[in-house]
Amino acid sequence: MAFVMTTQTLTHSATLAMLAAAVEKAEEIGQPQCIVIVDASGELLGELRMTGAKFLSRKSARAKAVTAASIGARSTVIPEAVRPFIAAATEGNVTGLPGGLPIRLDGVLLGGIGIGSGSGDQDITVAEAALSAIGAEL
Protein backbone atom coordinates (compact mmCIF):
# COMPACT_ATOMS: atom_id res chain seq x y z
CA MET A 1 0.00 0.00 0.00
CA ALA A 2 1.39 3.42 -0.98
CA PHE A 3 1.37 6.16 1.63
CA VAL A 4 2.57 9.01 -0.59
CA MET A 5 2.15 10.06 -4.17
CA THR A 6 3.77 12.59 -6.46
CA THR A 7 1.57 15.51 -7.44
CA GLN A 8 1.82 18.41 -9.84
CA THR A 9 0.65 21.93 -9.08
CA LEU A 10 0.07 25.09 -11.05
CA THR A 11 2.70 27.73 -10.51
CA HIS A 12 2.16 31.41 -9.95
CA SER A 13 3.60 31.93 -13.45
CA ALA A 14 0.85 29.76 -14.96
CA THR A 15 -1.77 31.62 -12.94
CA LEU A 16 -0.49 35.00 -14.10
CA ALA A 17 -0.31 33.84 -17.73
CA MET A 18 -3.92 32.62 -17.58
CA LEU A 19 -5.14 35.83 -15.96
CA ALA A 20 -3.37 37.93 -18.61
CA ALA A 21 -4.74 35.84 -21.48
CA ALA A 22 -8.26 35.97 -20.03
CA VAL A 23 -8.11 39.76 -19.69
CA GLU A 24 -6.77 40.12 -23.22
CA LYS A 25 -9.61 37.99 -24.67
CA ALA A 26 -12.25 39.77 -22.56
CA GLU A 27 -11.00 43.13 -23.81
CA GLU A 28 -10.95 41.83 -27.38
CA ILE A 29 -14.61 40.80 -27.19
CA GLY A 30 -15.56 43.93 -25.24
CA GLN A 31 -16.88 42.15 -22.15
CA PRO A 32 -15.29 42.84 -18.76
CA GLN A 33 -15.09 39.63 -16.74
CA CYS A 34 -14.54 38.19 -13.29
CA ILE A 35 -11.76 35.59 -13.52
CA VAL A 36 -11.05 33.01 -10.81
CA ILE A 37 -8.37 30.29 -10.87
CA VAL A 38 -8.23 27.55 -8.22
CA ASP A 39 -5.97 24.56 -7.68
CA ALA A 40 -7.13 20.94 -7.73
CA SER A 41 -8.41 21.21 -4.16
CA GLY A 42 -10.40 24.37 -4.88
CA GLU A 43 -7.98 26.77 -3.18
CA LEU A 44 -7.73 30.20 -4.74
CA LEU A 45 -4.61 30.83 -6.83
CA GLY A 46 -5.63 34.02 -8.61
CA GLU A 47 -8.62 36.26 -9.07
CA LEU A 48 -9.43 39.49 -10.88
CA ARG A 49 -12.57 41.51 -11.37
CA MET A 50 -12.04 43.63 -14.45
CA THR A 51 -13.23 47.20 -14.39
CA GLY A 52 -16.89 47.16 -15.37
CA ALA A 53 -17.50 43.48 -14.56
CA LYS A 54 -20.58 42.70 -12.49
CA PHE A 55 -19.50 42.37 -8.85
CA LEU A 56 -21.86 39.46 -8.12
CA SER A 57 -20.32 37.55 -11.01
CA ARG A 58 -17.25 37.13 -8.84
CA LYS A 59 -19.20 34.65 -6.72
CA SER A 60 -20.46 32.68 -9.71
CA ALA A 61 -16.97 32.67 -11.28
CA ARG A 62 -15.58 31.20 -8.06
CA ALA A 63 -18.30 28.53 -8.00
CA LYS A 64 -17.61 27.68 -11.66
CA ALA A 65 -13.87 27.28 -10.98
CA VAL A 66 -14.45 25.13 -7.88
CA THR A 67 -17.00 22.99 -9.72
CA ALA A 68 -14.66 22.35 -12.64
CA ALA A 69 -11.78 21.49 -10.30
CA SER A 70 -13.98 19.23 -8.20
CA ILE A 71 -15.53 17.20 -11.01
CA GLY A 72 -12.67 17.45 -13.51
CA ALA A 73 -15.07 18.61 -16.22
CA ARG A 74 -16.86 21.69 -17.49
CA SER A 75 -19.35 23.10 -15.03
CA THR A 76 -22.14 22.58 -17.55
CA VAL A 77 -21.99 18.78 -17.14
CA ILE A 78 -23.96 19.17 -13.90
CA PRO A 79 -27.44 17.97 -14.96
CA GLU A 80 -30.01 20.75 -15.22
CA ALA A 81 -32.50 18.88 -13.03
CA VAL A 82 -30.16 18.69 -10.01
CA ARG A 83 -28.46 22.09 -10.27
CA PRO A 84 -30.66 23.86 -7.68
CA PHE A 85 -30.26 21.01 -5.20
CA ILE A 86 -26.48 20.80 -5.59
CA ALA A 87 -26.19 24.57 -5.28
CA ALA A 88 -28.25 24.49 -2.08
CA ALA A 89 -26.36 21.51 -0.63
CA THR A 90 -22.99 23.18 -1.25
CA GLU A 91 -24.04 26.69 -0.20
CA GLY A 92 -23.57 27.88 -3.77
CA ASN A 93 -20.10 26.41 -4.19
CA VAL A 94 -21.16 24.11 -7.05
CA THR A 95 -22.94 25.36 -10.14
CA GLY A 96 -23.96 24.20 -13.58
CA LEU A 97 -23.57 27.63 -15.15
CA PRO A 98 -21.33 27.85 -18.23
CA GLY A 99 -17.83 29.26 -17.82
CA GLY A 100 -16.17 26.74 -15.50
CA LEU A 101 -13.43 24.63 -17.12
CA PRO A 102 -10.96 22.18 -15.64
CA ILE A 103 -7.27 22.97 -15.96
CA ARG A 104 -5.64 19.81 -17.25
CA LEU A 105 -2.10 19.40 -18.59
CA ASP A 106 -0.89 16.06 -19.98
CA GLY A 107 -3.98 14.40 -18.55
CA VAL A 108 -3.35 15.69 -15.01
CA LEU A 109 -6.10 17.72 -13.34
CA LEU A 110 -4.41 20.79 -11.83
CA GLY A 111 -7.40 22.98 -10.98
CA GLY A 112 -10.24 24.95 -12.47
CA ILE A 113 -10.95 28.33 -14.00
CA GLY A 114 -14.23 30.19 -13.71
CA ILE A 115 -15.28 33.18 -15.75
CA GLY A 116 -18.38 35.28 -15.13
CA SER A 117 -20.04 38.52 -16.15
CA GLY A 118 -20.74 37.89 -19.82
CA SER A 119 -23.00 35.50 -21.65
CA GLY A 120 -22.28 31.80 -21.23
CA ASP A 121 -20.57 31.72 -24.62
CA GLN A 122 -18.42 34.74 -23.76
CA ASP A 123 -17.44 33.22 -20.42
CA ILE A 124 -16.36 29.98 -22.12
CA THR A 125 -14.42 31.85 -24.83
CA VAL A 126 -12.45 33.75 -22.20
CA ALA A 127 -11.79 30.60 -20.15
CA GLU A 128 -10.55 28.74 -23.25
CA ALA A 129 -8.17 31.61 -24.07
CA ALA A 130 -6.71 31.32 -20.56
CA LEU A 131 -6.22 27.58 -20.90
CA SER A 132 -4.58 27.99 -24.30
CA ALA A 133 -2.04 30.40 -22.78
CA ILE A 134 -0.44 27.56 -20.82
CA GLY A 135 -1.10 24.75 -23.29
CA ALA A 136 -3.83 23.19 -21.17
CA GLU A 137 -6.36 20.79 -22.68
CA LEU A 138 -9.56 22.28 -24.04
Side-chain angles (χ1 to χ4, degrees), residues 28-136:
E28 179 185 311
I29 65 173
Q31 177 58 59
Q33 296 281 18
C34 294
I35 305 153
V36 177
I37 299 167
V38 299
D39 68 12
S41 64
E43 288 297 316
L44 181 66
L45 295 176
E47 175 179 23
L48 177 71
R49 181 171 72 89
M50 293 175 65
T51 305
K54 301 170 193 153
F55 68 89
L56 282 178
S57 293
R58 188 179 147 271
K59 288 182 130 184
S60 64
R62 172 79 189 234
K64 293 173 188 184
V66 168
T67 299
S70 177
I71 65 175
R74 290 174 180 247
S75 52
T76 53
V77 305
I78 302 289
E80 188 77 40
V82 300
R83 288 178 185 180
F85 305 108
I86 289 176
T90 62
E91 298 179 347
N93 288 313
V94 174
T95 184
L97 294 171
L101 278 65
I103 303 169
R104 195 180 302 276
L105 280 165
D106 300 321
V108 177
L109 180 64
L110 300 172
I113 183 166
I115 307 295
S117 201
S119 69
D121 288 341
Q122 289 172 322
D123 295 352
I124 292 167
T125 296
V126 171
E128 288 176 343
L131 294 179
S132 292
I134 63 164

